[in-house]
Amino acid sequence: KLDKREEIGWSAIDLGRMALWLKIVGAKYPQLRPQADAVWQSWRVARLTKNGQMYGTSVIKGKEQYNQEGRLGYESYAAYGLKLWKLDVHKALDTQSSLAFVNLYGQEVPYDRRDYKTSGANNYVLSEPFILDGIETGFQALPKAHADQVLAAQVARYRATGQLTALTEDNLDQDPYFVYNTLFVNGEPWATITDTRQKRNDLRFLSAKAAIGWHVLYNTPYTQKLFDFVQTNLKADAGWYNGFYEASKKPNRSLTANNNGIILESLLYKKVGQPLTVWAGVQP
């Protein structure tokens, strides 16, 4: 509970995700379109982009910092949402200019060369933006080949180690309460870190939303194993727990709207049998 109103800034990536869903809701439910449009028009959206890239703000010692946001994965996925509202995000949609590949268990996995050392931002490689892009747009923002490789590397890790792997960022039920479970970040493979780069590989966990998202998109014997594991080990009274810790072999009992929201949209994708922008009739 905040005792006073505080300015904390805003994320262009999160607003890009929101922008995409405002379009889905407005297209699928015409009676709600005026409200969806009104939400967008109530914001000063011109500040979300500059020179074709996405910008967000943070507030440090009372002063606003205006920062370029996004690395390979979330950058293009979120930019696609802003493009639907006719913002200029041509550089953010470019998946080639900073692209590099790293070999993980024999799989060539795409990553963004702009890491913390060269740019001051972490270049997380994880499942979620690829899953969201597949479910919501049908891989209109990111190359499907990139999603294929991100999944293939996690399958390869399972084959090499016997550890079921479905990695993305999420909340924890213990300190530090949020981590990024990555395939690769800042030059390091299979690192779990906080946003301040504290390494917490001891808290790596299989993500429920990543497991179910991969399964509805790919429906392979491996993703079936992920799905079955989640159904057996992570069902809660109000949805699904966030994940299952590799080290302790116990559930991560955090319950979040993010995890359960992505699971619900994954199940909607499975039910309607097409990307949600197509199902809703969003004009590209």
Side-chain angles (χ1 to χ4, degrees):
K1 175 177 172 290
L2 290 174
D3 293 325
K4 62 181 190 295
R5 183 185 172 117
E6 293 183 20
E7 298 284 349
I8 60 171
W10 37 266
S11 163
I13 288 174
D14 283 345
L15 288 169
R17 294 176 70 175
M18 179 80 167
L20 188 52
W21 271 93
L22 288 172
K23 283 291 185 186
I24 290 171
V25 169
K28 186 65 184 174
Y29 304 103
Q31 71 274 26
L32 296 177
R33 185 169 176 180
Q35 292 97 312
D37 289 352
V39 169
W40 183 254
Q41 281 146 18
S42 71
W43 294 331
R44 287 182 286 163
V45 295
R47 298 197 69 208
L48 285 169
T49 63
K50 186 173 80 170
N51 300 327
Q53 293 183 293
M54 294 185 297
Y55 277 75
T57 65
S58 55
V59 178
I60 299 171
K61 294 182 179 171
K63 291 195 172 175
E64 183 183 82
Q65 314 288 314
Y66 192 53
N67 308 306
Q68 184 270 329
E69 277 189 25
R71 295 295 177 265
L72 183 71
Y74 274 124
E75 182 173 31
S76 297
Y77 160 68
Y80 186 83
L82 299 184
K83 183 186 176 188
L84 291 174
W85 292 91
K86 299 188 167 46
L87 294 185
D88 175 16
V89 282
H90 71 276
K91 283 186 184 173
L93 287 167
D94 174 10
T95 57
Q96 300 301 312
S97 60
S98 299
L99 178 65
F101 291 89
V102 60
N103 189 291
L104 301 176
Y105 290 107
Q107 304 298 320
E108 292 297 313
V109 175
Y111 74 94
D112 196 311
R113 284 194 299 266
R114 298 169 294 173
D115 61 10
Y116 183 77
K117 194 181 293 183
T118 61
S119 74
N122 302 318
N123 61 341
Y124 315 104
V125 179
L126 27 70
S127 299
E128 198 161 322
F130 300 96
I131 290 169
L132 291 173
D133 186 41
I135 287 168
E136 293 173 6
T137 82
F139 297 107
Q140 295 300 301
L142 290 158
K144 183 176 179 293
H146 288 182
D148 295 347
Q149 288 305 102
V150 169
L151 176 58
Q154 294 177 86
V155 177
R157 180 176 184 257
Y158 166 70
R159 287 181 179 151
T161 66
Q163 180 67 62
L164 277 173
T165 304
L167 299 176
T168 200
E169 80 276 21
D170 214 338
N171 293 81
L172 306 173
D173 58 2
Q174 58 186 286
D175 188 67
Y177 299 107
F178 196 96
V179 293
Y180 295 82
N181 294 300
T182 77
L183 285 74
F184 190 71
V185 61
N186 300 332
E188 190 167 349
W190 308 108
T192 291
I193 67 170
T194 67
D195 60 347
T196 56
R197 296 170 307 290
Q198 178 191 4
K199 196 164 158 188
R200 294 305 306 266
N201 286 6
D202 58 310
L203 295 175
R204 184 190 295 119
F205 61 90
L206 179 150
S207 160
K209 61 184 174 179
I212 292 175
W214 284 126
H215 184 53
V216 300
L217 279 170
Y218 284 81
N219 192 20
T220 67
Y222 177 74
T223 66
Q224 185 70 57
K225 284 181 194 291
L226 293 177
F227 182 84
D228 292 345
F229 184 88
V230 168
Q231 293 300 88
T232 302
N233 295 281
L234 295 175
K235 288 191 90 168
D237 289 341
W240 290 264
Y241 293 124
N242 279 12
F244 197 88
Y245 293 113
E246 290 185 359
S248 69
K249 304 283 191 280
K250 292 178 179 172
N252 166 12
R253 292 182 180 273
S254 187
L255 269 173
T256 62
N258 178 288
N259 177 61
N260 283 281
I262 288 172
I263 290 172
L264 288 173
E265 70 169 282
S266 298
L267 298 176
L268 176 60
Y269 170 90
K270 181 174 172 57
K271 179 176 172 59
V272 301
Q274 54 187 343
L276 300 182
T277 50
V278 176
W279 165 74
V282 174
Q283 295 304 308

